[in-house]
Amino acid sequence: MPRASDTSLPFGDAVLRAPPGSPWKAWQIDPDAERRKVSLEALDPGARPFSSGDKAADRAAVERLATEIDELQNVFHPDGRYKLLVVLQGTDTSGKDGTVRGVFGRTSPLGVRTVGWKAPTEPERAHDFLWRIHQAMPGNGEIVVFNRSHYEDVLVPVVNGWINPAQTRQRYAHINDFERLLAETGTVVLKFMLHIGFDEQRQRLQDRIDDPTKHWKFSLGDLDVRQQWAQYQKAYEDLLEATSTPWAPWTVVPGNSKTHRNLMIATLVRDTLKALKLRFPPDDPRLKGLRVT
Amino acid sequence: MPRASDTSLPFGDAVLRAPPGSPWKAWQIDPDAERRKVSLEALDPGARPFSSGDKAADRAAVERLATEIDELQNVFHPDGRYKLLVVLQGTDTSGKDGTVRGVFGRTSPLGVRTVGWKAPTEPERAHDFLWRIHQAMPGNGEIVVFNRSHYEDVLVPVVNGWINPAQTRQRYAHINDFERLLAETGTVVLKFMLHIGFDEQRQRLQDRIDDPTKHWKFSLGDLDVRQQWAQYQKAYEDLLEATSTPWAPWTVVPGNSKTHRNLMIATLVRDTLKALKLRFPPDDPRLKGLRVT
């Protein structure tokens, strides 16, 4: 029986591939490598590969890009051939919420839907771990942004030892198969790992503790998770190695600079939407010269 | 990256395998064959491999089995380790509704849920073809019976030429990957193809036309589909060849005899539930000797 289909994407391979020589290339986990090693230590969270060198100019560029994304969404929707899933993963304080606001803050909520994933509920736990994820998928012409995702299921249980390495590998395979189904049926899957440093996290958590208006973003459990920093980094490296596929590759986003993080993600989302060569659906010929009376 | 996991089923392989020498063996599409040819012509729809030879005795056996399935469901639910999906596929009049009534008619509706699949709605068509299927999956301790299924998506579009052979193979692979996810996360998937002869269908359709109480089961379009009999048989053969996997094998059920059809499916469902070695969850030790006051 066929175990896996030849990947043939309705929107063409190039859409998901960092072009050689682009600043994206060094940060995309090579989807063509059969075996690869990912070292997050070797990827500087303070890097700014997409920066113009001028912070104010970068900020203005983010604003322009966010507007451009809104305009592209206005064609993406009626075009209706594709779906877009943007996955944001990263440790606490890595900037997932800030990315949603910065990159999609100018897009009409009609055109983009955000899903924030928490610990699974009882009915969710009674099903496979991709059941709730599949339900939340975008339909044709829809953009969905995941704040956390199914990748939590190969992070938290791994770090806490609730599943063993064989089960983890099984989940990687389930995820790859699932994302292949999505991609081959018209979903562009962009996966961003927001990468901040240990010290940057310390400052951001401290800030949440010191600022009463940020208390709602903080829970004491975040400090326990911080104690497991090294284990989480390792689990991230493992999943980046295992699930950066030709049909749904990962990009690591250096995240110590919030402006640069938004600049990089907004650029890549804009470029991806442009690469789709969106168009309005073919005209109804009866509309030609029609006068409303 | 891992493309596919080694199949390791939580309920053990044996649950899904027809034992050598059993009457089931000749009717299960061998899940271990790397390449196989399926010929429905070679499988007699009038055969009765599970029959005692005495129709009244067979009828009584179906009643006993249906009761036994209800009793097993009463443990299946609290056991909660597994999910059961029963897929019923077959042409018009092949006996899908009759199977649901005959095999599960004694099971409390609390314990079994039937889903009848029709042509997809607009929101369903805006997603991949497994989106609506995944949503309907049983949770732990649940039994779901599909009257038609995702296999319609490799029948109707194939026979009508809406998808090409490469797309059909891609769908087979999507289905196999999807069912592997289900099986590896605890869903027992039993797939039955109800196999009736061309002449038997003629009689049953005629009966629906002649009996006003059966008109609701008939539509004129059924006659058009009957004109495509040979193409549908071929599409069934192709899907049986492509999707009878070790984690979700197909069984062809000779269906000209309704009693025998129910006998065979009820026997296999009962045997499968028994093979799971169901048990009530471990006792809470605090219950020992507890007196209600």
Side-chain angles (χ1 to χ4, degrees):
Chain A
M1 81 296 308
R3 292 191 60 108
S5 52
D6 291 330
T7 304
S8 131
L9 306 180
F11 39 80
D13 269 13
V15 166
L16 296 169
R17 279 291 186 314
S22 74
W24 186 12
K25 186 74 183 169
W27 297 89
Q28 186 178 64
I29 308 300
D30 185 358
D32 301 311
E34 263 308 300
R35 279 161 177 280
R36 62 172 90 77
K37 273 316 279 181
V38 173
S39 164
L40 285 171
E41 287 241 317
L43 294 166
D44 177 9
R48 291 182 293 163
F50 283 65
S51 176
S52 66
D54 176 65
K55 188 149 189 162
D58 287 354
R59 275 220 183 93
V62 172
E63 295 289 319
R64 274 197 312 276
L65 285 161
T67 303
E68 227 183 309
I69 288 169
D70 177 43
E71 286 160 3
L72 284 159
Q73 185 279 322
N74 272 330
V75 191
F76 187 79
H77 179 71
D79 181 304
R81 289 175 297 167
Y82 309 118
K83 316 152 181 88
L84 175 63
L85 176 70
V86 177
V87 171
L88 303 177
Q89 273 292 154
T91 56
D92 289 324
T93 75
S94 62
K96 301 178 292 296
D97 290 348
T99 302
V100 172
R101 181 185 294 269
V103 176
F104 297 100
R106 301 219 165 178
T107 311
S108 163
L110 267 178
V112 64
R113 174 162 52 92
T114 304
V115 187
W117 294 100
K118 309 277 183 199
T121 63
E122 201 175 337
E124 288 169 351
R125 277 186 286 117
H127 291 83
D128 69 87
F129 73 105
L130 293 170
W131 181 71
R132 63 177 187 161
I133 303 292
H134 204 166
Q135 279 181 61
M137 279 298 136
N140 287 329
E142 287 182 354
I143 299 175
V144 167
V145 183
F146 276 6
N147 185 331
R148 302 189 189 270
S149 67
H150 41 303
Y151 287 96
E152 291 293 317
D153 293 297
V154 285
L155 285 165
V156 183
V158 170
V159 166
N160 291 292
W162 302 334
I163 60 176
N164 64 38
Q167 290 168 314
T168 307
R169 284 194 301 275
Q170 206 176 48
R171 288 194 177 184
Y172 293 150
H174 291 159
I175 289 172
N176 287 345
D177 289 342
F178 171 64
E179 290 179 348
R180 184 164 45 211
L181 163 70
L182 298 177
E184 289 181 350
T185 55
T187 306
V188 179
V189 183
L190 294 180
K191 303 188 294 199
F192 298 109
M193 189 267 173
L194 310 191
H195 176 45
I196 58 169
F198 188 62
D199 229 52
E200 180 70 21
Q201 192 192 48
R202 187 187 54 67
Q203 290 174 39
R204 293 187 184 185
L205 283 172
Q206 191 64 54
D207 186 43
R208 288 185 180 182
I209 292 166
D210 296 344
D211 180 349
T213 73
K214 293 184 178 167
H215 281 181
W216 66 277
K217 286 202 149 201
F218 181 80
S219 93
L220 280 171
D222 297 349
L223 299 182
D224 300 331
V225 175
R226 179 168 165 80
Q227 294 304 309
Q228 299 171 302
W229 178 271
Q231 293 98 298
Y232 272 101
Q233 295 294 112
K234 173 70 167 66
Y236 265 109
E237 288 172 347
D238 290 348
L239 77 82
L240 291 169
E241 286 170 15
T243 62
S244 196
T245 55
W247 51 90
W250 274 104
T251 297
V252 175
V253 177
N256 281 3
S257 157
K258 296 173 184 176
T259 300
H260 175 270
R261 174 201 70 211
N262 288 354
L263 176 65
M264 178 166 172
I265 295 179
T267 303
L268 296 179
V269 169
R270 191 269 320 259
D271 289 354
T272 302
L273 287 170
K274 280 187 85 166
L276 289 174
K277 303 195 193 310
L278 301 170
R279 43 92 179 133
F280 290 99
D283 264 345
D284 182 337
R286 291 171 301 179
L287 264 61
K288 200 176 156 70
L290 186 68
R291 307 296 304 170
V292 180
T293 54
Chain B
M1 82 295 309
R3 291 190 62 106
S5 53
D6 291 330
T7 304
S8 131
L9 307 179
F11 38 80
D13 269 12
V15 166
L16 295 170
R17 278 292 185 314
S22 73
W24 186 13
K25 186 74 182 167
W27 298 89
Q28 185 177 66
I29 308 301
D30 185 357
D32 301 313
E34 263 307 300
R35 279 162 177 278
R36 60 171 92 77
K37 271 319 277 179
V38 173
S39 164
L40 285 171
E41 286 240 318
L43 294 166
D44 177 9
R48 291 182 293 160
F50 283 66
S51 175
S52 67
D54 176 66
K55 187 147 189 164
D58 285 356
R59 276 219 183 94
V62 173
E63 295 288 319
R64 275 197 311 277
L65 285 161
T67 305
E68 227 182 308
I69 288 169
D70 177 44
E71 286 160 5
L72 284 159
Q73 185 279 322
N74 272 328
V75 192
F76 187 79
H77 178 72
D79 180 305
R81 287 175 298 167
Y82 310 118
K83 316 151 182 85
L84 175 62
L85 175 70
V86 177
V87 171
L88 303 178
Q89 272 292 154
T91 57
D92 288 325
T93 77
S94 63
K96 301 179 290 296
D97 289 349
T99 302
V100 172
R101 182 186 293 269
V103 176
F104 296 101
R106 302 216 164 181
T107 311
S108 164
L110 266 178
V112 64
R113 173 162 53 92
T114 304
V115 186
W117 295 100
K118 311 275 183 201
T121 64
E122 200 175 339
E124 287 168 352
R125 277 184 287 117
H127 291 83
D128 68 88
F129 73 105
L130 294 170
W131 181 70
R132 62 177 188 162
I133 303 292
H134 204 165
Q135 278 182 60
M137 279 299 136
N140 287 329
E142 287 181 353
I143 298 175
V144 167
V145 182
F146 275 6
N147 186 332
R148 305 191 188 267
S149 67
H150 41 304
Y151 286 96
E152 292 292 318
D153 293 298
V154 285
L155 286 166
V156 183
V158 171
V159 166
N160 292 293
W162 302 333
I163 60 176
N164 65 37
Q167 289 168 316
T168 307
R169 285 194 300 276
Q170 205 176 48
R171 286 196 179 183
Y172 292 150
H174 291 158
I175 290 173
N176 287 345
D177 289 342
F178 171 63
E179 290 180 348
R180 183 165 46 211
L181 162 69
L182 297 178
E184 290 181 349
T185 55
T187 305
V188 179
V189 182
L190 293 180
K191 302 189 293 199
F192 298 110
M193 190 266 174
L194 310 192
H195 176 44
I196 58 169
F198 188 62
D199 229 52
E200 180 69 21
Q201 191 192 46
R202 186 186 52 70
Q203 291 174 37
R204 292 187 184 185
L205 283 173
Q206 192 63 55
D207 187 44
R208 289 186 180 182
I209 292 167
D210 297 344
D211 180 349
T213 71
K214 291 182 178 168
H215 282 181
W216 67 277
K217 284 202 150 199
F218 180 80
S219 92
L220 280 170
D222 296 350
L223 299 181
D224 299 331
V225 175
R226 178 167 166 81
Q227 294 304 311
Q228 299 171 303
W229 178 272
Q231 294 97 299
Y232 272 102
Q233 295 292 299
K234 172 69 168 63
Y236 265 109
E237 288 172 347
D238 290 349
L239 80 80
L240 291 168
E241 285 170 16
T243 62
S244 195
T245 55
W247 51 92
W250 275 105
T251 297
V252 175
V253 178
N256 281 3
S257 157
K258 296 173 183 177
T259 301
H260 175 269
R261 174 201 71 212
N262 287 354
L263 177 65
M264 179 165 170
I265 295 178
T267 302
L268 296 179
V269 169
R270 190 269 319 260
D271 288 356
T272 303
L273 287 170
K274 279 187 84 165
L276 290 173
K277 303 197 191 315
L278 302 169
R279 43 96 180 126
F280 291 99
D283 265 344
D284 182 337
R286 288 170 302 180
L287 264 60
K288 200 178 155 69
L290 186 67
R291 307 297 303 170
V292 181
T293 54

